[in-house]
Amino acid sequence: MVVTVVAAAAFVGVTAPVTVSVAAAQPRVFDTFYDYDGSAPLSSYAPGDVLKTRTVPYHVVNVPTPLQAVQVLYRSTDALGRPVANVTSILRPPNAQPGKLLSYQSVYDSLNPDDSPSRAIAGNTPIGQWTPSGRNFNLGGTMVSGEIAMFGPMLAAGYTVVIPDTEGPEADFAAGPEYGMLTLDSLRAAREVAETGITDDAEIALMGYSGGAIATNWAAILAPDYAPDVDDDLIGAAEAGVMVNPATNLRYANGSLGWGGVVGMANVGIGRAYDIDFDPYLNDYGREIMARMQDASIVNAGAQYPGLTWQQMVKPEYADPNSVPEYVDVVNKINMGIAPIPTIPMFIAQAANGIFNGTLPGGPGTGPGDGVMVADDVAALATRYCNAGLAIQYDQYDTIEHLIGGALWLPGALQWLVDRFNGAPAPSNCGKFAPGNSLAPQTLVAPGHPASVSPTGSGSVS
């Protein structure tokens, strides 16, 4: 069975018959569905327990379509192990195949809770307005509407699709383990709601690109220990544009004309998720940037901060990020390369020509990337999984950058997923690609350690 990409407008027509730290940014959209208002403490619920449900029309840029979405408020866990109430959205087509479920992790990369997939799906995304801080023009939520071209073919083919808010209620950008727990608990919750038609033994596949790949891979990593009940039903994961070792991503994208702003966004996101106060290490310009980014999306960061570097934001003695203890601690926590091994086959792809984004290849230990993700890190992760005995298909696109990489990966990812659901053996090209970078943990250095980086991210910060 060959699956082809379909446009959003055509898809919703086909499915018309459907009947079913750093201070947190504050969402502007008033919607009480997101608030847990039960009498029992949230901590008294188990991860994945259902707190509320509702059914809403699926919206594309705030325009309703005939497709219906079941939305679930459920209990999950944040990066520090605290209970949180999060939302996931479930789309069930009229031709739903019994027992087949795709968890699609969105690419929405944002520090603004208003940009979450569930708000876009419910038609509650501010577009063309200023964000709650008044510092950013709100366009981030529009990205989710375009993603129906990513998962739409699977939905049209009869697969039920679950779309979690992977960054949680406070938009904890780049906090990979939290992404993973929120994703796994959304699957637990979806199975508990009768309207979704999902059975307890449904086969589950994971899919995500870029920010969605962070959630996809961390869900696969954490499933055996955090959610063994979900892991038992996982049949594979398709992902591309993967952030494996964030310390290498910083070295690579530092000063990039197209992706330099991600340096600031990631600092805000991990600071928020892990209750880290970076203020003692920042200079006045760094504090200004961090304040501006409190509710920025990836669209804002790319457009407003060309060439931004870590060194521009910190005091001179902290020019090497490894001189900041909190930084070293957190990047090791979110390094996939030293995390547990998943149990499922995977299709992993990575573009490797970030020159088109204004990011030159990095030096030794970094190498080329797609502008923001590091190809040799992704190859190293694939190698690690191969060495553990997993069936891994790793594809590298040496001539294209991050955005085009998603389009090239998609058709193969869709077919790979269909083949897993159909029971075909997972392909593997283990041993046929370069082993990649070291993914060893970062080590702390003394303040004042010299750092050198080019204005286009081609040097190093240590």
Side-chain angles (χ1 to χ4, degrees), residues 217 239 336-337 339-348 377-395 416 426-436 439:
N217 206 97
E239 63 185 29
M336 294 177 182
I341 304 288
T343 61
I344 55 175
M346 304 179 81
F347 171 41
I348 306 173
D377 277 7
V378 183
L381 186 72
T383 298
R384 185 170 184 253
Y385 292 169
C386 285
N387 292 341
L390 301 186
I392 302 296
Q393 175 70 37
Y394 175 68
D395 291 355
W416 189 93
S428 171
N429 63 346
C430 289
K432 297 181 180 179
F433 52 88
L439 301 178

Side-chain angles (χ1 to χ4, degrees), residues 83-115:
V84 292
N86 195 52
V87 175
T88 191
S89 305
I90 301 99
L91 307 178
R92 180 174 171 81
N95 59 335
Q97 300 186 49
K100 295 189 176 183
L101 177 64
L102 175 67
S103 183
Y104 175 80
Q105 285 65 250
S106 171
V107 72
Y108 71 109
D109 298 344
S110 180
L111 291 163
N112 183 357
D114 283 350
D115 293 338

